[in-house]
Amino acid sequence: MSQEQQIAIEERFARVFNDKSFKERLSSADFEKYINGKKKLSFQKHDTIFEDGETPKGVYVLEKGAAKLSKSGAFGKDQILRFIKEGDIIGYRSLLCGENFQAKAEAMTDIEATFLPADVFMYLLEVDPQLSFVMLQKISYELGESSNTITFLAQKTVRERLAEILLLLEQKLGVDPEGFIKISLTREEIANIIGTATESAIRLISEFKGDNLIEVDGRNIKILNHDKLMKLGHVVL
């Protein structure tokens, strides 16, 4: 999926999932049910939003901050599945499937979120066709992301994977005023994402820096040459 299509889905969800839009579409009783049900929650960096195996109690929409979804492997090593940014909704897949959470959600920065209880969210899906439609689009998009991840890990070299993940992180999370990707990741987390040893990730980041592809300031990374990274990672954005 192109970046433009991804942005369009995100913007459509933002237009549909907000107080003003719900008030215009819902009946007075349904809107009151929504308003009375939702809660504002705050999480500090490294706080757990929900645990792998926990029973879903509702969905979370991030208003501010970033989070990660991860799953622990057979030897206790976490695998990062994807990153969650402002405007994203999490927790709905397990809720819709009627199963416990299949991943852990952890705050990577301080977070402000809107929590919508399971019964309210499911009710809104029944009475609000626009919400149902944008949720279907988001599910389809994330299914495509999962398919791309399988190809990404199976067919690309570690060097190609690092180039691609840096571009995708910048695309998804954006950059700060100085041009650094809006998330600071440990070398272990980067290694986790691209499926390699931490030592290999450290070496590759150093090589990318030496080739003037990126600038590194502690855990922060700025892309200096997008074209070369795209060619190196065989990426089309």
Side-chain angles (χ1 to χ4, degrees), residues 41-183:
L41 300 178
S42 296
F43 300 93
Q44 293 184 332
K45 185 177 180 179
H46 301 309
D47 280 354
T48 297
I49 301 172
F50 54 75
E51 288 280 5
D52 187 357
E54 182 181 323
T55 301
K57 298 180 179 64
V59 298
Y60 304 79
V61 179
L62 268 64
E63 308 293 344
K64 182 180 178 181
K68 65 179 178 181
L69 288 179
S70 64
K71 188 160 184 74
S72 181
F75 301 102
K77 183 177 180 181
D78 284 346
Q79 174 66 52
I80 296 175
L81 304 177
R82 65 186 179 95
F83 294 97
I84 315 300
K85 63 180 179 58
E86 294 176 9
D88 283 344
I89 180 172
I90 54 174
Y92 64 86
R93 194 203 66 81
S94 295
L95 189 61
L96 292 173
C97 290
E99 64 182 16
N100 291 341
F101 287 126
Q102 299 299 299
K104 175 183 177 180
E106 181 182 347
M108 301 191 72
T109 65
D110 290 348
I111 283 176
E112 294 178 7
T114 295
F115 173 76
L116 203 58
D119 61 330
V120 177
F121 178 69
M122 298 296 279
Y123 180 76
L124 289 179
L125 288 177
E126 292 180 6
V127 300
D128 187 351
Q130 288 194 43
L131 177 61
S132 297
F133 179 70
V134 296
M135 289 306 304
L136 183 60
Q137 285 190 312
K138 288 187 74 65
I139 292 169
S140 300
Y141 165 67
E142 289 176 9
L143 180 61
E145 272 195 324
S146 298
S147 298
N148 290 337
T149 299
I150 294 172
T151 303
F152 168 82
L153 290 173
Q155 298 183 2
K156 293 195 173 186
T157 67
V158 176
R159 188 178 180 86
E160 291 170 338
R161 296 202 292 266
L162 178 59
E164 180 171 354
I165 201 62
L166 291 176
L167 290 163
L168 293 177
L169 284 173
E170 184 188 76
Q171 174 188 325
K172 184 172 181 62
L173 301 175
V175 297
D176 65 18
E178 296 181 352
F180 289 92
I181 297 172
K182 276 187 179 178
I183 198 72

Side-chain angles (χ1 to χ4, degrees), residues 7-21:
I7 292 173
I9 290 174
E10 292 172 350
E11 289 179 343
R12 197 170 295 120
F13 176 76
R15 287 197 301 269
V16 169
F17 200 106
N18 64 78
D19 292 359
K20 182 176 182 294
S21 184

